[in-house]
């Protein structure tokens, strides 16, 4: 008589956020099933084991008791439920990312063309125009009657509008070149369809040659792309303004002086073109007929930073402001009041959440006998060699300083095998002192430069928390910053609190 027996082995792991800001805990149970064939008490062969996974989300005891408290009113209960549902949705997205919602590339199509760029050396703005052409070549080329977004690393930045100029003068120099970039896809249209410019409405409102600096983000609630405008580099082909200090360029952005028929004014809500159409109309964000709505980036004074960050959900890192802004954010940019810099602006400072401060490293081929008789590994086969870019294309070996825990290493190897990429994004957690693996980067062909890596390590060493940033930036000008003193006092109070707890528990 033949029969089959099965053996189940369960292994359970629990995961929580290290900063404790989530009330949910994720329990993952791995169930390995092995089946055996038996006949007349004679053991037969076994089938290959199968692994399955059970995932549970468990609410903490404290939050469960708070949620079920009969004294909580309906409004507070509803807000609490919304917060918990956002945390749950964020955790589920990490398990099964919704690429159709999160990836900007899904909303863009590739375009290529040939255009002529003309500069007049006799123009009073010739020097600035030459710099502007360099900015356009790097960040956003001007093309005939169309708006495009060139791909810059893994983001889509400057949007430009220009026209071909057919006349030539003796003092003019003309350069003809091939250009390529991205445009938003028209609704229900594939990549291969050659249709009208989907930005034709915006192009009809904006002066020829205008250059807007910004970034395409995905509106999380409406699940559509939105172009957030950071800066204005030129109001038109004859009016470059990138040489102006930022405060003056910001006034141009707020008054939309690059709109046809517009000019500098004190109207922050400016943006109206011909026919009374507002280029920054908030209703356009929810209008399905607008391919890529434009919204202004919100700039505040330093002391208002705390109020600005109050619009960011710390758990999901989603910035919400009215109906127009609802997108992911990774930090704050401190903009200097200086002219625009083409390339790297050394005076521009960006603060990022510590868990988003990462570096891209290259997985190096194994080296014989590497790590043997050292603390790196028991055998050289266990060492994951990584490196970053050095000067003149050299490689700086970072294996000695960057070692992933076994669990993170296995995740990296699995993703590496699936994607075939050799560039991995990794981060460092200052609270645990361990490196962690974020994701593979098949969109990149080279790791970060060593200067970028050193800057990242310095940023991690500073370990500037959100609370410290909000506290110190809210100190008014001319007032003494007492953050360090206040922290020491709070730490003493915390120690006294622990002593009282120990004394109370010892007396029982």
């Amino acid at each position: 008589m033949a029969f089959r027996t099965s053996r189940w082995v369960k292994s359970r792991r629990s995961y929580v956020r290290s900063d404790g800001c989530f009330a949910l805990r994720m329990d993952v149970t791995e169930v390995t099933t092995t089946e055996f064939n038996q006949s007349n008490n004679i053991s037969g062969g076994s089938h290959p084991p199968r692994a399955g996974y059970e995932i549970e989300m468990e609410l903490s005891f404290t939050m469960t008791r708070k949620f079920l408290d009969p004294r909580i009113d309906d409004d507070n209960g509803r807000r609490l439920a919304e917060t918990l549902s956002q945390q749950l949705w964020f955790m589920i997205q990490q398990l099964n990312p919704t690429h159709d919602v999160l990836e900007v590339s899904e909303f863009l199509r590739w375009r290529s063309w040939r255009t002529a760029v003309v500069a007049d050396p006799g123009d009073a703005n010739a020097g600035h125009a030459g710099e502007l052409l360099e900015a356009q070549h790097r960040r956003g080329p001007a093309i005939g009657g169309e708006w495009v977004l060139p791909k810059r690393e893994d983001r889509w930045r400057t949007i430009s509008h220009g026209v071909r100029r057919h006349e030539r003068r003796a003092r003019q120099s003309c350069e003809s070149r091939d250009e390529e970039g991205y445009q938003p896809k028209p609704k229900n249209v594939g990549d291969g369809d050659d249709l009208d410019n989907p930005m034709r409405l915006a192009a009809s409102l904006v002066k020829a040659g205008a250059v807007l600096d910004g970034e395409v983000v995905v509106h999380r609630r409406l699940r559509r792309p939105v172009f957030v405008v950071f800066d204005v580099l030129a109001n038109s082909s004859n009016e470059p303004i990138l040489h102006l200090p930022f405060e003056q360029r910001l006034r141009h952005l707020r008054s939309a002086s690059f709109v046809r028929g517009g000019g500098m004014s004190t109207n922050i809500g400016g943006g109206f073109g011909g026919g009374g159409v507002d280029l920054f109309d908030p209703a356009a964000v929810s209008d399905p007929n607008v391919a890529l709505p434009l919204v202004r980036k919100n700039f505040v004074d330093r002391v208002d930073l705390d109020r600005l960050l109050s619009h960011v959900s710390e758990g999901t890192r989603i910035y919400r402001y009215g109906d127009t802004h609802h997108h992911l954010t990774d930090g704050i940019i401190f903009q200097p009041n200086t002219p625009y810099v083409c390339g790297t602006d050394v005076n521009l400072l960006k603060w990022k959440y510590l868990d988003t401060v990462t570096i891209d490293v290259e997985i190096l081929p194994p080296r014989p006998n590497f790590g043997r008789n050292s603390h790196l590994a028991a055998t050289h086969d266990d060492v994951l060699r990584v490196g970053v870019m050095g000067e003149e294309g050299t490689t700086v070996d970072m294996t000695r300083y960057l070692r992933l825990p076994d669990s993170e290493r296995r995740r990296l190897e699995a993703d590496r095998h699936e994607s075939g990429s050799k560039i991995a994004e990794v981060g460092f957690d200052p609270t645990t002192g361990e490196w962690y693996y974020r994701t593979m980067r098949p969109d990149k062909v080279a790791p970060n430069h060593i200067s970028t890596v050193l800057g990242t390590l310095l940023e991690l060493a500073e370990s500037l928390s959100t609370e410290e940033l909000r506290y110190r930036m809210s100190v008014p000008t001319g007032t003494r910053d007492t953050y360090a003193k206040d922290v020491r006092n709070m730490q003493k109070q915390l120690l006294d609190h622990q002593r009282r707890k120990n004394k109370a528990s010892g007396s029982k």
Side-chain angles (χ1 to χ4, degrees):
M1 179 178 179
F3 58 94
R4 177 178 295 179
T5 60
S6 300
R7 182 178 65 188
W8 293 274
V9 177
K10 290 189 175 183
S11 176
R12 181 169 178 169
R13 294 182 177 89
S14 298
Y15 299 90
V16 295
R17 281 186 63 114
S18 58
D19 56 10
C21 67
F22 272 24
L24 291 164
R25 183 186 72 191
M26 182 172 65
D27 296 330
V28 180
T29 303
E30 180 181 1
V31 182
T32 304
T33 304
T34 306
E35 295 182 344
F36 299 89
N37 294 325
Q38 291 187 344
S39 177
N40 296 327
N41 297 326
I42 300 177
S43 299
S46 63
H47 295 270
R50 303 190 313 271
Y53 297 90
E54 300 172 358
I55 299 177
E56 301 174 85
M57 303 294 185
E58 184 172 332
L59 194 62
S60 67
F61 173 77
T62 303
M63 186 57 67
T64 302
R65 185 172 59 181
K66 180 179 180 180
F67 190 67
L68 298 178
D69 191 341
R71 294 171 296 180
I72 189 173
D73 56 52
D74 291 342
D75 291 339
N76 289 329
R78 187 178 299 106
R79 283 194 292 268
L80 181 59
E82 290 177 353
T83 300
L84 294 175
S85 63
Q86 291 171 6
Q87 294 181 9
L88 177 61
W89 175 242
F90 178 81
M91 296 173 70
I92 293 175
Q93 282 185 323
Q94 307 313 302
L95 295 174
N96 186 20
T98 51
H99 294 287
D100 59 324
V101 176
L102 304 181
E103 295 295 333
V104 172
S105 58
E106 296 293 330
F107 301 98
L108 303 177
R109 65 176 182 177
W110 183 255
R111 302 280 281 175
S112 60
W113 63 93
R114 189 167 184 82
T115 185
V117 178
V118 182
D120 186 354
D123 194 339
N125 292 322
H128 299 309
E131 189 176 5
L132 175 61
L133 292 180
E134 179 187 359
Q136 288 180 328
H137 183 67
R138 292 188 182 189
R139 310 288 294 280
I143 65 172
E146 296 190 9
W147 284 42
V148 295
L149 303 104
K151 187 174 182 181
R152 182 176 179 266
E153 294 182 353
D154 57 336
R155 297 186 176 185
W156 286 263
R157 297 300 297 268
T158 307
I159 190 168
S160 310
H161 176 222
V163 295
R164 290 186 178 89
R165 298 175 62 179
H166 299 287
E167 68 275 14
R168 296 187 181 183
R169 301 176 184 175
R171 293 184 301 172
Q172 288 181 336
S173 61
C174 179
E175 174 191 2
S176 180
R177 64 171 182 251
D178 292 326
E179 301 286 6
E180 52 189 15
Y182 286 88
Q183 280 187 337
K185 292 180 181 178
K187 294 298 181 181
N188 302 320
V189 175
D191 291 334
D193 296 310
D194 185 15
L195 297 183
D196 294 337
N197 178 15
M199 297 292 292
R200 57 186 177 274
L201 176 60
S204 66
L205 298 176
V206 176
K207 301 174 184 177
V211 181
L212 309 180
D213 186 14
E215 183 177 1
V216 180
V217 300
V218 176
H219 196 288
R220 307 287 290 193
R221 181 173 60 84
L222 299 177
R223 304 189 176 192
R224 61 160 310 164
V226 174
F227 190 81
V228 181
V229 182
F230 301 164
D231 205 342
V232 183
L233 307 188
N235 287 327
S236 67
S237 56
N238 297 321
E239 190 184 356
I241 61 172
L242 73 170
H243 59 286
L244 300 178
F246 175 72
E247 284 186 350
Q248 296 185 33
R249 303 199 308 273
L250 182 59
R251 287 199 292 269
H252 282 280
L253 173 60
R254 289 175 171 173
S255 63
S257 52
F258 44 84
V259 172
R260 296 181 186 273
M264 280 294 292
S265 70
T266 58
N267 179 19
I268 294 181
F272 288 90
V277 180
D278 185 3
L279 183 65
F280 294 98
D281 185 3
V285 175
S286 57
D287 187 347
N289 297 317
V290 179
L292 187 65
L294 271 63
V295 299
R296 296 180 180 90
K297 188 179 185 68
N298 289 324
F299 288 92
V300 300
D301 292 334
R302 173 185 61 83
V303 293
D304 292 329
L305 181 63
D306 181 51
R307 178 175 56 84
L308 178 68
L309 286 176
S310 66
H311 294 281
V312 178
S313 174
E314 287 293 329
T316 57
R317 303 281 164 74
I318 293 180
Y319 172 68
R320 297 180 182 179
Y321 188 82
D323 296 328
T324 55
H325 295 75
H326 192 136
H327 55 81
L328 291 173
T329 179
D330 62 352
I332 297 293
I333 293 180
F334 294 88
Q335 173 68 48
N337 188 28
T338 56
Y340 186 89
V341 176
C342 298
T344 301
D345 188 349
V346 296
N347 294 314
L348 189 144
L349 175 64
K350 182 170 185 178
W351 172 87
K352 298 178 67 176
Y353 293 96
L354 291 179
D355 58 352
T356 65
V357 180
T358 59
I359 59 175
D360 297 329
V361 298
E362 180 180 0
I363 309 300
L364 302 178
R367 193 168 66 194
N369 299 324
F370 183 83
R372 182 172 292 179
N373 299 325
S374 74
H375 67 284
L376 288 176
T379 64
H380 64 278
D381 294 332
D382 294 331
V383 177
L384 179 69
R385 296 186 61 234
V386 296
V388 297
M389 185 183 300
E391 296 297 331
E392 299 181 355
T394 59
T395 298
V396 179
D397 196 319
M398 297 286 292
T399 307
R400 179 179 179 182
Y401 310 101
L402 198 160
R403 187 182 181 190
L404 293 172
D406 292 340
S407 58
E408 298 293 288
R409 164 77 180 275
R410 287 193 291 268
R411 289 180 54 232
L412 184 150
E413 292 290 4
D415 290 352
R416 178 189 180 190
H417 177 74
E418 181 179 354
S419 66
S421 174
K422 65 176 183 178
I423 306 298
E425 183 179 353
V426 297
F428 183 79
D429 187 351
T431 59
T432 62
E434 288 186 331
W435 289 90
Y436 61 88
Y437 162 69
R438 173 65 63 84
T439 185
M440 298 302 295
R441 297 298 302 269
D443 57 317
K444 289 198 170 184
V445 296
N448 287 142
H449 191 270
I450 184 62
S451 59
T452 302
V453 175
L454 292 176
T456 301
L457 295 178
L458 287 174
E459 191 172 348
L460 289 169
E462 289 179 337
S463 192
L464 183 62
S465 65
T466 308
E467 292 75 19
E468 181 178 356
L469 177 72
R470 297 174 71 167
Y471 181 104
R472 292 192 144 168
M473 291 298 101
S474 63
V475 176
T477 303
T479 304
R480 183 180 178 184
D481 182 352
T482 60
Y483 177 81
K485 178 181 177 181
D486 292 341
V487 167
R488 287 195 298 269
N489 291 334
M490 291 293 180
Q491 289 175 337
K492 291 179 180 179
Q493 294 179 25
L494 183 62
L495 177 58
D496 291 338
H497 173 70
Q498 181 62 29
R499 287 170 176 168
R500 288 193 296 270
K501 286 176 57 179
N502 293 340
K503 184 177 180 180
S505 61
S507 61
K508 293 182 180 179

